[in-house]
Amino acid sequence: MGGYGDVQMIDENGKRVDGRGPGDLRDITIETDVVPVADGSCRMTWGTNEVIVAVYGPMECHPRKLQRQDRAVLDVAYNMAPFSTTDRMRPGFNRRSREISKVTKDALESVVLLELYPRSKIRISIEVLSAEAGTRCVGLTAASVALADAGVPMTDMVVSVASGKINDVVVCDLNKEEDNYGEADLPMGILPNSGQLVFLQMDGDLSQEEFNQAWQYNMDAAQMIHNFMVDSLKGGEA
Amino acid sequence: MAIPLVPKLLRAHLAELAENDARIDGRQQWEGRDVEIETSVLPRAEGSARVRMGDTIVFAGVKFQIMKPYSDRPNQGGLMCSAEIRPVAGRNWESGPPSPESIELGRVVDRGIRESGCIDVDALCIIPGEKAWQVILDLFAISDDGNLFDAFALAGIAALRNAVVPAERFEVGEDYSLGVSKTPIMCSYHKVGDRFVYDACGREELGGDERIHITLGDDDHVHSLQKGLKGIFSTEEFTEIMGRAQERSKEIRDILDSL
Amino acid sequence: MSKKNGAGGPRDRGRAQSLVVPGQDLGESEGQEAGHGVIVMEGRLRATKNGRIRNQGSTVSIEPLHTRYIPRPGDLAIGYIEGCTNNIWFVELGAPFNAILPMSLGPGKVEFGGTRSVMDVGETILCRVQEVEETHSSVVTMKGMGLRKIRSGVIEEIDPHLLGRLIGKGGESLKRLKEDAECRVIVADNGRMWIDGDLDGILEVRRQLDLMTVESRPIPVGGGH
């Protein structure tokens, strides 16, 4: 977190720097079938975040030592393209990307019906082309849509969204500027049909009341985002 | 990169097509796929382009850094070009350190752009011996259905053409357009069924042999050549390809200029 | 949106209602069987795939928009030889797992250590899935009518969920395609088809396939995104 500052990020009417109210989301678009050579894919823009996810498989799992006799394995790779950030991101090994890949995999393994595909692998590539704030949420949400597009069976899709705190006010879906001056960040991965969670992280400083408010913002936002996801998979049909 | 299985039937079919002057996707021998170019598509990059040729889709992004000039060239900035082909782009591309294939791609595109002299490296100098701009061109594949070379080279030059030097952000003056004085164009030819074709698609690459990449400048000057993969070719074959590349590079340059 | 209502017609509107996404609730499970793409959770049916609902008797299933081929015993399949040992071939079927073809189920007589001379890596076979174990170890056989090494023609791939459309009611569409192109066409269950004939015929079949794949895209692209 960027820590405390004197910068005023919320005006006297409660409006944020980009004109949103505290519980409002940035603009979101979702598109499927964007990587023609993949089995399933999704492009999601969220504010000025842009993420592309491609799914390959289920397919034969190589190398053999990674195979599981009783279920499929997910191979999740989250990566930020070198031109996705203001200062160029050096390609290669990166601890942050490794952690995000892992927690994304843990979240998705909770919903994909892995036991239907023993000895197989499902590969999920999350590529951030443009990063603003909250790329891990965009990646996880887009990965669910890409898995659905690939016909991979799941008990539910995962909707991921974060809320946080700026100028002692709890707000939903921090943008880049807010994230820089933010005092807390609470990303969650929510199953929209049951309200259960499969992904949870937090850093910063929140009182119990603030925490409850952030939690509720995420729950409400998840329902809205889920509607966009359903719309994209149904291609505008009822 | 995982080595894909090459079905013998595919090779036999490609040979039969070649004998009958046909191609697997219905194109003529020297016909390219439709080219779509979009520029300024990446908000965080100082210059960017997206190129689509059939089902091959790539991005190029330009970033700038301030570097200390090399001691033997104190009045010059630098240009760096790298290609990354991540597993998103196809079943056979794997994560991990850059594969020899992606390194070759980056270096061949780099040579074509660098040697054409399209970027004035002297103009990138801010304070001789102390500060200069380093231009970094990153090539990124989203979907590989053959001929990433031409797609990368085209996206690369298109991105450089709309790049803006972020001088204000680095507090060294006002932003200005990078300015590209020449337009090098790469044309790639693949030996498929014992004859060369232009702009091979994925199945032609899979069942084909060697490939040849030619980068030509505005005045048809040759700036880079590369022969890749296993195969043998003759001077006559190369002469024909070179003639085709002269024609095709002009057409592609016209598309770029019309943007 | 007006475009959808205008061009779709009443039949398409009826179909639109049955498009579901993973996680979608499909009602009480009592008195209903969960078929393909449907599971029972806490006494209710739930979709696990993106596709169209099909009700057959008391079974609710989903016909997915996209899917990977999963081998089942008895399936006719076109496979590529991916490797071999002294007495086994490994066969790639475009499935989540490879199958083995033991020497004893290979074509004709094979001597121990002679697998490669009979069928080499990269060759194509028409085979039948003999068994698929729970752990997805699977075996294919070439013993049976018409099963063989494929020596000529081409293999085209088609999404398994489009097979029904390709074959048509009572095989009508496929028959017409074969007659028009004067080609032999064998459609395997794993979404691969073998087309054999003269080059013009093969090119005609491929053209028809491409047309069908484009037409079959069930979702109109566009709208807000």
Side-chain angles (χ1 to χ4, degrees), chain A residues 63-130:
Chain A
R64 208 156 280 250
K65 66 174 183 192
L66 298 178
Q67 278 185 7
R68 294 282 302 263
Q69 295 299 317
D70 57 342
R71 65 173 180 90
V73 294
L74 294 190
D75 177 1
V76 178
Y78 163 100
N79 178 61
M80 293 177 81
F83 42 67
S84 64
T85 46
T86 307
D87 292 323
R88 178 174 181 265
M89 193 84 177
R90 260 185 74 136
F93 179 83
N94 172 318
R95 297 171 69 89
R96 177 182 170 275
S97 294
R98 279 291 167 95
E99 189 207 347
I100 294 177
S101 301
K102 182 185 177 297
V103 292
T104 304
K105 169 179 181 284
D106 295 343
L108 292 170
E109 284 197 333
S110 315
V111 292
V112 174
L113 298 178
L114 299 168
E115 60 280 7
L116 294 181
Y117 305 100
R119 303 199 306 147
S120 308
K121 173 167 82 177
I122 300 170
R123 212 174 74 191
I124 302 162
S125 304
I126 302 170
E127 297 295 342
V128 180
L129 297 182
S130 170

Side-chain angles (χ1 to χ4, degrees), chain A residues 34-39 48-50 52-54 56-57 59 75 77-79 81-88 91-92 123 125 127 129-132 176, chain B residues 41-46 52 55 57 59-63 65 80 82 84 86-95 136 138 140 142-145 169-170:
Chain A
V34 293
V35 180
V37 299
D39 293 315
T48 57
N49 285 307
E50 177 172 349
I52 286 183
V53 180
Y56 292 88
M59 57 190 179
D75 177 1
Y78 163 100
N79 178 61
F83 42 67
S84 64
T85 46
T86 307
D87 292 323
R88 178 174 181 265
R123 212 174 74 191
S125 304
E127 297 295 342
L129 297 182
S130 170
E132 191 189 342
K176 182 82 201 158
Chain B
V41 287
L42 298 165
R44 301 278 171 268
E46 273 82 53
R52 179 168 187 152
D55 281 346
I57 303 171
F59 282 87
V62 180
K63 296 295 297 180
Q65 284 176 359
M80 186 175 112
S82 81
E84 220 186 336
R86 306 223 2 115
V88 66
R91 202 172 293 278
N92 295 312
W93 293 104
E94 290 165 334
S95 48
I136 307 172
D138 281 298
F140 199 88
I142 288 296
S143 178
D144 173 15
D145 189 37
R169 184 156 61 82
F170 286 87

